[in-house]
Amino acid sequence: MINRYTVIGQPIAHSVSPDIHHVFGDLTQRRIQYTRTEATEATFAQVVNEWKQQGGLGCNVTMPFKTLAMDVVDRVKPCARRAGALNTIFMHKDGSLVGYNTDGSGLLSDLKTTMRVDPAGLRVLMLGAGGASRGVLGPLMDRHPAAMVIANRTLSKARDLAEQFDKDGTLSATSYETLADEQPFDLIINATSSGLSGEQLTLPSGLFTEDALAYDMVYSNTDTPFMTWARANGASQVVDGFGMLVEQAADAFVIWQGVRPKTRLVYPRLSHLRQ
Ligand code: ATR
């Protein structure tokens, strides 16, 4: 039997999710057919339902439909509810659609297994207070960082997120202008979309501790403006979001197929995507 999945987004032509899931299928000996599907806001719900009717077993949802998708599923798992968005739909045998969010778990898996970084006890800075940030804050806070600061151009949005995700007084909000008053950070995550338009955030120097990791959630084969800035400003390690992309895909695969591919075996087989 062929297990059929798709990723729905706009634009979608450059998505590498099919490449990743086909390698997962090979490694786990499952027959996987994973395609790309374009939708608009007006057609999204219909596209999901057609996929189900055509025998699809699940789909991934990417920009800009992650929030909209919450209204299309019948049940929302806690991981998606607290992110306010989902990236994975499981199409149940009884016809119901169940929504999950694997972005946060994917980020944490990449930090842990590839970067050997556990946010527990670290000072963490999150740049941006949009959907990308919201999607990963819950799982990050679950690790109990020593401090988590959200910095955003629009301070009110950072404050809203801090209020929503703070459990024990370790989460606070700031603007970029007042970041210079903060103690240095062990982990700085860029969750803004500024780099997509080639724009550079205006950040003060002295933000990194000695062994700090700079993590751009965007997947890019060349340094993003944030990564360039981080290298010039003392980050000890600088990475893009390719690992997060693979790990969130592996977490979706386990929801669908009940087995998690060994991602360390996946990376060598995806090296052509990194050239
Ligand atoms: P996403 O779902 O990708 O997070 P979003 O909800 O539109 O998209 O949020 C984009 C984030 O990038 C926001 O934090 C945004 O800052 P504002 O809330 O102030 O708009 C941030 N962002 C985008 N372009 C930026 C820029 N040029 N400088 C600083 N922040 C930027």
Side-chain angles (χ1 to χ4, degrees):
M1 179 185 126
I2 295 194
N3 301 278
R4 297 178 62 232
Y5 302 99
T6 194
V7 56
I8 307 173
Q10 162 77 267
I12 201 63
H14 300 293
S15 170
V16 294
S17 290
D19 306 74
I20 296 172
H21 280 275
H22 287 142
V23 174
F24 289 172
D26 279 354
L27 287 174
T28 59
Q29 286 158 356
R30 313 281 161 122
R31 292 182 72 198
I32 303 292
Q33 185 188 70
Y34 189 112
T35 57
R36 301 175 185 87
T37 304
E38 187 137 325
T40 64
E41 241 174 67
T43 63
F44 178 75
Q46 186 190 338
V47 165
V48 172
N49 280 302
E50 277 171 10
W51 183 250
K52 181 175 79 175
Q53 273 148 27
Q54 289 162 15
L57 299 180
C59 60
N60 283 129
V61 178
T62 187
M63 307 293 281
F65 304 126
K66 290 185 180 184
T67 308
L68 178 65
M70 297 281 280
D71 299 328
V72 170
V73 295
D74 302 294
R75 272 178 292 144
V76 174
K77 290 288 181 177
C79 53
R81 186 169 309 286
R82 69 179 175 161
L86 61 81
N87 71 341
T88 302
I89 298 178
F90 178 80
M91 297 176 168
H92 218 271
K93 278 199 192 94
D94 67 9
S96 62
L97 304 180
V98 188
Y100 295 75
N101 194 315
T102 64
D103 284 333
S105 59
L107 170 64
L108 281 177
S109 290
D110 189 38
L111 287 174
K112 187 174 159 198
T113 55
T114 312
M115 307 311 304
R116 307 274 173 214
V117 168
D118 182 349
L122 300 186
R123 284 184 53 78
V124 183
L125 172 62
M126 174 76 74
L127 304 171
S133 181
R134 174 183 294 276
V136 300
L137 265 172
L140 276 172
M141 290 306 290
D142 288 348
R143 295 305 307 151
H144 298 289
M148 166 80 78
V149 176
I150 306 173
N152 197 43
R153 179 175 59 181
T154 312
L155 180 57
S156 58
K157 281 171 69 182
R159 285 198 174 127
D160 287 349
L161 273 194
E163 205 166 293
Q164 187 183 334
F165 285 94
D166 193 24
K167 282 193 279 195
D168 50 13
T170 51
L171 181 52
S172 60
T174 181
S175 65
Y176 295 125
E177 290 74 28
T178 48
L179 254 185
D181 303 337
E182 298 285 338
Q183 296 295 311
F185 295 93
D186 307 299
L187 169 62
I188 302 186
I189 300 170
N190 179 30
T192 73
S193 53
S194 60
L196 298 176
S197 48
E199 284 175 83
Q200 176 62 278
L201 300 168
T202 311
L203 300 168
S205 57
L207 281 185
F208 292 105
T209 57
E210 207 165 297
D211 293 323
L213 169 64
Y215 195 107
D216 200 327
M217 283 172 59
V218 169
Y219 151 48
S220 173
N221 284 344
T222 53
D223 275 5
T224 62
F226 168 74
M227 291 167 72
T228 305
W229 170 84
R231 287 188 206 285
N233 280 273
S236 153
Q237 294 190 87
V238 178
V239 287
D240 76 318
F242 185 70
M244 176 176 167
L245 189 67
V246 171
E247 299 296 338
Q248 63 79 31
D251 286 341
F253 195 87
V254 76
I255 290 165
W256 294 330
Q257 288 288 318
V259 55
R260 196 177 198 280
K262 288 195 174 69
T263 47
R264 70 184 158 75
L265 304 178
V266 171
Y267 291 107
R269 298 190 50 177
L270 294 173
S271 55
H272 59 287
L273 299 177
R274 301 294 277 161
Q275 280 151 18

